[in-house]
Amino acid sequence: MQLIQPRSINFGGFPVKRLLPRRGIAGVGPWVFFDHMGPHTFSPGAGMDVIPHPHINLATVTYLFDGEILHRDSIGSIQAIRPGAVNLMVAGRGIAHSERTSPDLRAAGHRVEGLQLWHALPEEKEEREPSFHHYPADELPRLSEKGLELRLMIGSAYGLVSPVITFSKTLYAEFRLQPGARYPLAEASERALYLLRGSVLIDGNPLTAGVLALLSPEARIIEAEEETLCVLLGGDSLGKRYMWWNFVSSSKERIEKAQADWKAMRMGTVVDDRDEFAPLPEADNYSRMSD
C-alpha cells in the first residue's frame, strides 16, 4: 500500500481533509480529486457558503453522511443534498455552481460531514452538455451480511449495479463493518480505500483513520478491528489530465480557455445565486499544469 496523509484545508471556517490531488499521483482510476468535508457543527447563524465557481471536463460527486447542502447551478438545478443520496454534476463543456446552507438550517445550527470527489471524463465526452443527476438514498443498492453493511454508489460490484450514470469503468462503494468482520475487496484496474472511522487490516496490514491507501493489484481482504466506516474507489485510468483550480482537462489549452471564459463571465450564472462569484485565482497551489 501507498499511504496518502490528508492536507488540512479551511473554507471559511469549514474544515476539509484533502487527499487528492497530490503531486506525483495521477489519481485513482478516473478519480482525480478527493475531499473529506467535516465533520463540523455550525452554530446558529453560521453555515456553508461555497460561492458560485466553475468546472469543465469533469464530473463532481457529492455524498453526505450528515447534514444538508443546497446545490444550485447554471443550468437551473436546485437540489437539497442529504445523507445517503448521490449527487452527480457533469460539467462537460462548462458549468458553474454553488453549495450553501439553507436559511432554515442556518438559523437553527447543524452538523455536516461528507465526501466530494471529482472524476475525469473520457476525452470524447469532455465537451458534452452539462447536466445534474440526483439519486435518492433508497435507489442505491445495498448488501447486508453478518457484520457488514455495503452500499454501492457507482459502478458494478458484489453482484450489485448502481443506477448512477458512468462514462468509463468507475467504482465507488461504502463499507460499514463490525469488529472482526472480513470481506473481499472488489477488483478494479486501480483502487484506493479511505478510512473515515475505525481501524482496519488490509491483508493483515493496518490502516488508520484519515488516510487514503492506494491498493496494490494483489490486495484482497479488508478486516475490521473495530466498528468501521470506509469507502472503496477506483476504476480504469483515463490517462494524463491537467488540473488548475476547478478545471480538469486532457488539454492544457482548454484549461487556459476556461480561465479566460470565467474571467470574462462567459460561463453562465447560478440560478438564484447571482450576487457573488469566485474570482479567478492568480495561482493554484495544487496545479498539475506542467508537462
Side-chain angles (χ1 to χ4, degrees):
M1 294 187 297
Q2 181 178 353
L3 303 181
I4 299 178
Q5 301 290 337
R7 295 188 299 268
S8 296
I9 311 294
N10 191 301
F11 288 117
F14 186 64
V16 170
K17 301 180 186 74
R18 178 156 295 168
L19 286 307
L20 294 174
R22 193 60 54 97
R23 291 190 186 279
I25 297 173
V28 181
W31 302 102
V32 296
F33 180 96
F34 189 122
D35 269 1
H36 178 189
M37 307 177 290
H40 182 71
T41 300
F42 288 104
S43 58
M48 178 185 292
D49 284 301
V50 180
I51 64 176
H53 60 281
H55 295 285
I56 62 161
N57 293 182
L58 59 83
T60 69
V61 175
T62 305
Y63 182 82
L64 296 183
F65 301 103
D66 202 359
E68 179 180 307
I69 297 173
L70 184 60
H71 165 96
R72 299 185 180 95
D73 62 41
S74 56
I75 60 172
S77 312
I78 301 177
Q79 177 66 54
I81 299 173
R82 299 188 177 96
V86 166
N87 298 271
L88 176 74
M89 186 184 74
V90 184
R93 60 178 174 78
I95 197 169
H97 75 130
S98 65
E99 297 158 298
R100 298 188 186 265
T101 299
S102 67
D104 290 346
L105 282 181
R106 191 182 299 268
H110 67 297
R111 187 176 187 270
V112 175
E113 182 180 16
L115 301 177
Q116 187 168 91
L117 301 89
W118 305 349
H119 68 69
L121 296 175
E123 289 187 39
E124 68 273 15
K125 300 289 186 181
E126 285 184 322
E127 295 297 321
R128 75 187 298 278
E129 286 296 307
S131 58
F132 180 81
H133 309 268
H134 172 74
Y135 300 88
D138 59 7
E139 292 185 5
L140 302 177
R142 296 170 175 262
L143 180 65
S144 295
E145 296 187 5
K146 185 177 180 181
L148 166 75
E149 292 288 334
L150 184 148
R151 290 167 52 84
L152 184 67
M153 281 84 86
I154 300 177
S156 300
Y158 303 108
L160 307 174
V161 179
S162 169
V164 177
I165 63 169
T166 56
F167 305 93
S168 64
K169 287 188 178 180
T170 307
L171 173 66
Y172 181 27
E174 174 196 285
F175 292 81
R176 294 179 185 265
L177 297 164
Q178 297 301 313
R182 290 168 48 89
Y183 208 70
L185 293 163
E187 294 187 1
S189 297
E190 297 181 3
R191 298 171 298 170
L193 188 87
Y194 179 65
L195 183 59
L196 287 92
R197 287 185 279 281
S199 177
V200 299
L201 301 174
I202 299 176
D203 293 339
N205 299 302
L207 180 65
T208 56
V211 175
L212 181 69
L214 305 183
L215 303 179
S216 72
E218 294 77 25
R220 292 289 180 265
I221 300 293
I222 181 174
E223 180 178 359
E225 296 187 297
E226 55 189 83
E227 190 171 338
T228 291
L229 171 62
C230 59
V231 296
L232 178 69
L233 62 148
D236 288 353
S237 173
L238 297 177
K240 182 177 179 62
R241 288 297 184 271
Y242 296 101
M243 179 179 291
W244 192 92
W245 191 39
N246 299 312
F247 304 134
V248 172
S249 180
S250 61
S251 165
K252 184 185 296 186
E253 291 74 23
R254 182 64 181 89
I255 289 182
E256 291 168 349
K257 180 180 183 302
Q259 293 170 341
D261 287 344
W262 183 248
K263 191 172 183 179
M265 303 185 70
R266 291 193 295 260
M267 292 183 67
T269 56
V270 173
V271 61
D272 294 342
D273 200 346
R274 296 180 172 88
D275 295 335
E276 295 182 280
F277 70 95
L280 192 74
E282 294 297 322
D284 176 17
N285 292 333
Y286 307 120
S287 170
R288 293 210 306 270
M289 285 287 282
S290 60
D291 290 325

